[in-house]
Amino acid sequence: MYELPNDSFETTTELYANIVQSLEHMTEGESNLIANLANTSSVLYHCLRDVNWAGSYLFDGTELVLGPFHGKPACIRIAMGRGVCGWAAAEQRTVLVPNVAEFPGHIACDAVSRSEIVVPLVKNNELIGVIDVDSPLLDRFSDDDARGLEQIAALLMSRLTL
Ligand code: SME
């Protein structure tokens, strides 16, 4: 049984350091991306405060297709460049959206989502997919969340053998 980090950390950076440590342990010696994304979704959903969806989309060579997640059922396919996920994937960079109502083309999967962060998964310049986290609060995510999720993305990509 794995221990989840609790939310008693003083800073977001400290919380992510512990999440990364847990995920290093959970993914050690495991190269299966689906399994690693499944546990990552669970850890993010349970360890981050005020989050209503945490999961992934995987690039199938044409578009993004829903991957492992925690939260309500979500839309299955997202074209490159569409929504926050498609934008982060097309640009291969982290996209932080303080208010989804103000993001042109935002795809509403869960009506309660108010802010969102999407981090690309890229290995050897090849797009693998994205990690997406949604919150019911406006302006929930900071640069510290971006840096923390980027560390998690880097860890997941290091476990992947192409
Ligand atoms: N809101 C995302 C779609 C995925 S859901 O949030 C799970 C977007 O605009 O790309």
Side-chain angles (χ1 to χ4, degrees):
M1 206 172 70
Y2 295 114
E3 292 263 328
L4 282 176
N6 60 29
D7 63 0
S8 64
F9 299 104
E10 294 210 343
T11 66
T12 305
T13 308
E14 211 185 333
L15 170 62
Y16 277 101
N18 277 271
I19 289 176
V20 169
Q21 204 175 36
S22 295
L23 288 172
E24 273 171 356
H25 178 51
M26 287 180 203
T27 61
E28 196 173 354
E30 181 54 70
S31 62
N32 186 287
L33 183 61
I34 301 295
N36 289 340
L37 284 171
N39 272 336
T40 300
S41 307
S42 170
V43 170
L44 293 177
Y45 186 85
H46 289 290
C47 298
L48 297 180
R49 281 186 200 164
D50 303 315
V51 153
N52 61 296
W53 201 91
S56 57
Y57 281 86
L58 295 168
F59 184 55
D60 72 353
T62 306
E63 57 190 353
L64 296 172
V65 184
L66 185 62
F69 69 93
H70 265 55
K72 289 193 178 162
C75 62
I76 296 172
R77 290 177 184 271
I78 299 178
M80 292 296 279
R82 278 207 60 224
V84 188
C85 291
W87 184 250
E91 295 283 310
Q92 295 195 12
R93 67 173 176 83
T94 298
V95 178
L96 208 159
V97 180
N99 181 356
V100 294
E102 289 173 2
F103 188 90
H106 169 257
I107 302 162
C109 289
D110 184 340
V112 307
S113 297
R114 289 284 172 271
S115 59
E116 178 164 1
I117 185 167
V118 180
V119 174
L121 295 167
V122 178
K123 177 138 184 155
N124 302 338
N125 294 318
E126 192 183 316
L127 178 68
I128 305 298
V130 298
I131 293 178
D132 180 14
V133 187
D134 289 9
S135 171
L137 302 185
L138 280 173
D139 206 9
R140 156 67 181 79
F141 303 103
S142 66
D143 284 343
D144 289 340
D145 289 286
R147 300 297 86 82
L149 291 169
E150 284 166 359
Q151 280 179 50
I152 292 167
L155 168 66
L156 290 169
M157 292 301 92
S158 75
R159 298 299 193 219
L160 187 64
T161 43
L162 286 181

